[in-house]
Amino acid sequence: NSAQELIGRNMHDLIHYKRADGRPYPVEECHIFQAFQHGRGTHIDDEVLWKANGKSFPAEYWSYPMCRGDRVCGAVITFIDISERQIAKRERLRLAALVESSFDPIIGLDLAGMIESWNEAASRLFQFSAEEAIGHPVDLFLSKARRETVRQAVHSGKRVDQREIRCLRKDRTTLIAALTISPIQDAQGRHIGASVIARDISKQIKREQDLRNARDAAESANQAKSEFVANCRRRLENVAPGGRKTGR
């Protein structure tokens, strides 16, 4: 609509007559109208406004009364289309739900190495609740020897895979984890932190060590067997036919 088409018409009837779900929006309940009624400003960011084509868009708006002396004579309304913000919000919520439901521990860190997010899987692995973990540094779950390594990876802005990282549970028992550290960027592409995906590989490391020990034991047994057979052969070679020892 042009300005000429709108001037003199009831704004509520034009752009604010229905709620997002299609139900009527009585003017008496309208927050913009209340600026007239009560003479105070209002700020709303969870409603929709309607276009001339009958389609709506999510809007954030401010309504402030205009006064002449003690009398309210109008209002100034400003609004912005927050469609992109709502899409981004839904995407954040979707990603947050995926992170929370993941079987892998996922931890969000800022550039200072402070914990900003902590999913349920991280709580199961490290025994700290989200309330106990968020706001604390990575020292909470990393052994002292590995803290600086992880901080450098967070600052690098690159994906870094760290294997055999010694970590600490709340009860101070240790585990061996593989960490995947990936950069987090904001909407402008600036590096603002990192996500850490942790996998407990303690059992895998133990199996690998057990296999190495078994292999070493087998090689030692084979070496001992070879030496025993060689020793027996030498003794047999020193015995002449008829049972007499040779001079060798």
Side-chain angles (χ1 to χ4, degrees), residues 54-105:
K55 295 183 179 180
S56 67
F57 62 91
E60 179 176 14
Y61 65 80
W62 296 259
S63 176
Y64 295 101
M66 296 173 58
C67 300
R68 284 197 182 100
D70 296 332
R71 186 173 66 86
V72 176
C73 61
V76 175
I77 298 95
T78 56
F79 66 88
I80 55 175
D81 183 343
I82 59 172
S83 298
E84 291 187 3
R85 185 198 303 175
Q86 295 285 53
I87 291 171
K89 180 180 179 180
R90 286 195 296 271
E91 181 64 12
R92 287 196 302 272
L93 292 173
R94 186 184 72 83
L95 292 175
L98 288 173
V99 167
E100 188 58 32
S101 62
S102 171
F103 290 108
D104 290 324

Side-chain angles (χ1 to χ4, degrees), residues 185-220:
Q185 297 179 336
D186 64 11
Q188 286 71 45
R190 295 173 298 192
H191 180 211
I192 59 171
S195 67
V196 179
I197 300 176
R199 290 190 302 110
D200 184 359
I201 60 172
S202 302
K203 292 180 180 179
Q204 178 183 336
I205 295 298
K206 185 179 184 305
R207 284 195 300 269
E208 292 174 356
Q209 185 60 53
D210 289 343
L211 287 173
R212 285 193 293 268
N213 292 342
R215 185 176 61 246
D216 292 344
E219 290 175 354
S220 297

Side-chain angles (χ1 to χ4, degrees), residues 1 4-14:
N1 297 89
Q4 289 76 15
E5 292 176 304
L6 296 175
I7 291 174
R9 300 182 65 182
N10 185 296
M11 189 198 73
H12 183 81
D13 292 343
L14 288 173

Side-chain angles (χ1 to χ4, degrees), residues 14-144:
L14 288 173
I15 66 171
H16 206 207
Y17 55 91
K18 286 194 298 187
R19 303 181 190 274
D21 60 5
R23 290 181 296 121
Y25 198 161
V27 66
E28 296 81 10
E29 299 175 13
C30 173
H31 294 284
I32 297 173
F33 180 74
Q34 289 175 5
F36 294 92
Q37 290 291 93
H38 305 295
R40 61 172 182 266
T42 187
H43 171 219
I44 299 296
D45 63 359
D46 60 355
E47 293 184 352
V48 300
L49 299 178
W50 295 85
K51 301 178 183 180
N53 62 8
K55 295 183 179 180
S56 67
F57 62 91
E60 179 176 14
Y61 65 80
W62 296 259
S63 176
Y64 295 101
M66 296 173 58
C67 300
R68 284 197 182 100
D70 296 332
R71 186 173 66 86
V72 176
C73 61
V76 175
I77 298 95
T78 56
F79 66 88
I80 55 175
D81 183 343
I82 59 172
S83 298
E84 291 187 3
R85 185 198 303 175
Q86 295 285 53
I87 291 171
K89 180 180 179 180
R90 286 195 296 271
E91 181 64 12
R92 287 196 302 272
L93 292 173
R94 186 184 72 83
L95 292 175
L98 288 173
V99 167
E100 188 58 32
S101 62
S102 171
F103 290 108
D104 290 324
I106 302 177
I107 301 157
L109 303 175
D110 66 13
L111 290 177
M114 302 296 287
I115 299 169
E116 292 190 321
S117 63
W118 182 271
N119 71 349
E120 183 61 30
S123 295
R124 289 194 298 270
L125 180 60
F126 297 112
Q127 301 173 346
F128 294 98
S129 67
E131 291 75 15
E132 292 172 318
I134 292 172
H136 290 274
V138 292
D139 306 23
L140 184 75
F141 66 95
L142 288 177
S143 64
K144 189 174 182 180

Side-chain angles (χ1 to χ4, degrees), residues 156-171:
S156 72
K158 300 176 181 178
R159 172 176 167 142
V160 178
D161 292 310
Q162 296 279 347
R163 181 175 166 80
E164 297 190 30
I165 302 294
R166 188 172 296 277
C167 298
L168 303 171
R169 297 186 181 91
K170 184 177 180 179
D171 62 9

